[in-house]
Amino acid sequence: MRAMVLPGPRSDLQLQQRADPQPGEGEIRVAVSACGVCRTDLHVVDGELPDIKYPIIPGHEIVGRVDLVGPAVTTHRVGDRIGIPWLGHTCGVCRFCKEGMENLCDRPLFTGYTRDGGFASHTIADASYAFPLGEDGDDASIAPLLCAGLIGWRSLVIAGHAERLGIYGFGAAGHIICQIAVWQGRSVYAFTRQGDLAAQEFARQLGAVWAGGSDTRPEQPLDAAIIYAPAGELVPAALRAVRKSGRVVCAGIHMSDIPSFPYAILWEERQLVSVANLTRQDGLDFLKIAPQAGVKTQTTAFPLEQANEVLTKFRTGQILGAAVLRP
């Protein structure tokens, strides 16, 4: 197999040839056809997440076909097209797993972070955490749904029934969730980097009623806001933008430090909450909703070998929509 391997924190990925991996009990081997590039991949590369065991193969928005089945697998067969998300395994016995909150499992495994991911020609997955995808849709277009879409969906649900919804950071997750929210009949307000006119116009094309820089506010207060950009300074900005009892949802796995802010912008029962990972039920729900809502991802595909260049483009905001690697 071929893989782009991260040897250590803040290093370039290295193209390596490895022996084909073999699935263990309950696992499947997948021939990767597309793997989306996610903001979390940057956090892994930059060493911003704890307990990374190097070397590691990043990537957790994986679409491919099963090409080998391990013992005791009954859910997937060779040839099935499946999606592999961020959540790769949970213990099933901790209090969170038992209480239906497997996204908070005490002993989880995460694809492309604590187990090898999809920046490769092949990968191994726990069969119980791989979603059947059927045959509709293009592999590259589906890949961003496996994290940007899934985490975006969970954050949208947690945002509640907000009629006026703010989206801070209009990248892979933002452009997917904008479409879902518009389909649901919400008014979407898109906040981008200052001066990013291309992203603002993109948001309007997808149905946003307002788009502007994150340093500005619409005339009407928001019912809720979701922050996808990993910028802590957006938290006070979003709190100022929501109405009394409004909710601000922080959807990233990592964020820069939140600056101090006056209690007055949290008062009047405004809520500040975070989203952590996803559950398998989130995936099943979202993958059913996305085609109903007519979600179309804006993707740019690159060869696997260009992973380093793609990460640089992602870091500097040069990707409109989502980027996808193809082996």
Side-chain angles (χ1 to χ4, degrees):
M1 62 172 277
R2 298 160 53 249
M4 294 297 289
V5 180
L6 179 68
R10 296 172 295 280
S11 300
D12 285 342
L13 303 181
Q14 299 175 354
L15 180 62
Q16 296 182 5
Q17 297 283 342
R18 290 185 169 187
D20 290 340
Q22 301 300 309
E25 184 171 347
E27 295 182 329
I28 53 176
R29 187 175 73 192
V30 176
V32 178
S33 57
C35 185
V37 180
C38 177
R39 173 70 61 176
T40 305
D41 296 318
L42 279 180
H43 298 319
V44 171
V45 169
D46 291 344
E48 293 174 329
L49 303 183
D51 304 321
I52 302 174
K53 294 180 174 58
Y54 302 100
I56 188 72
I57 301 171
H60 56 274
E61 298 179 334
I62 306 168
V63 176
R65 292 191 183 271
V66 179
D67 78 344
L68 193 60
V69 174
V73 173
T74 59
T75 52
H76 303 291
R77 297 182 297 177
V78 170
D80 287 352
R81 186 169 72 153
I82 58 96
I84 303 172
W86 169 249
L87 185 66
H89 178 79
T90 57
C91 71
V93 297
C94 70
R95 64 170 295 183
F96 298 104
C97 286
K98 289 182 176 180
E99 294 176 7
M101 296 182 286
E102 65 181 8
N103 59 305
L104 301 178
C105 173
D106 286 334
R107 293 177 293 279
L109 292 176
F110 297 111
T111 310
Y113 168 30
T114 57
R115 66 183 299 165
D116 283 336
F119 286 9
S121 60
H122 294 78
T123 193
I124 299 292
D126 185 322
S128 298
Y129 294 78
F131 298 116
L133 295 178
E135 296 299 328
D136 294 336
D138 171 73
D139 292 349
S141 297
I142 292 172
L145 302 181
L146 272 302
C147 182
L150 293 181
I151 298 299
W153 170 251
R154 185 172 180 86
S155 64
L156 182 62
V157 171
I158 290 177
H161 300 290
E163 180 182 338
R164 293 187 299 276
L165 176 72
I167 294 178
Y168 285 78
F170 206 81
H175 93 286
I176 292 170
I177 295 311
C178 177
Q179 296 175 67
I180 297 280
V182 170
W183 173 74
Q184 291 176 332
R186 306 174 192 244
S187 297
V188 174
Y189 297 75
F191 297 82
T192 73
R193 299 184 191 205
Q194 291 90 332
D196 193 346
L197 301 182
Q200 292 166 21
E201 177 59 27
F202 183 37
R204 295 187 193 98
Q205 291 173 5
L206 293 178
V209 299
W210 180 94
S214 58
D215 59 338
T216 58
R217 272 191 276 173
E219 294 181 359
Q220 295 293 321
L222 305 172
D223 298 315
I226 305 172
I227 302 176
Y228 292 118
E233 64 269 20
L234 293 178
V235 171
L239 284 170
R240 288 187 172 95
V242 299
R243 59 166 170 79
K244 301 173 186 179
S245 80
R247 183 175 296 175
V248 174
V249 182
C250 299
I253 191 173
H254 175 83
M255 181 180 276
S256 61
D257 288 350
I258 301 171
S260 63
F261 57 84
Y263 176 65
I265 66 174
L266 181 63
W267 191 57
E268 295 176 315
E269 299 192 356
R270 292 176 179 85
Q271 303 167 53
L272 178 61
V273 299
S274 68
V275 169
N277 313 313
L278 70 145
T279 67
R280 283 172 285 182
Q281 190 60 51
D282 291 329
L284 296 174
D285 293 343
F286 174 71
L287 292 172
K288 184 184 298 182
I289 286 288
Q292 294 177 25
V295 170
K296 298 186 184 302
T297 55
Q298 168 85 19
T299 59
T300 305
F302 300 87
L304 177 65
E305 294 80 359
Q306 292 183 16
N308 288 309
E309 293 90 328
V310 174
L311 289 168
T312 297
K313 290 178 180 291
F314 200 99
R315 189 192 307 278
T316 54
Q318 298 179 54
I319 301 292
L320 191 63
V324 175
L325 297 177
R326 306 205 70 154

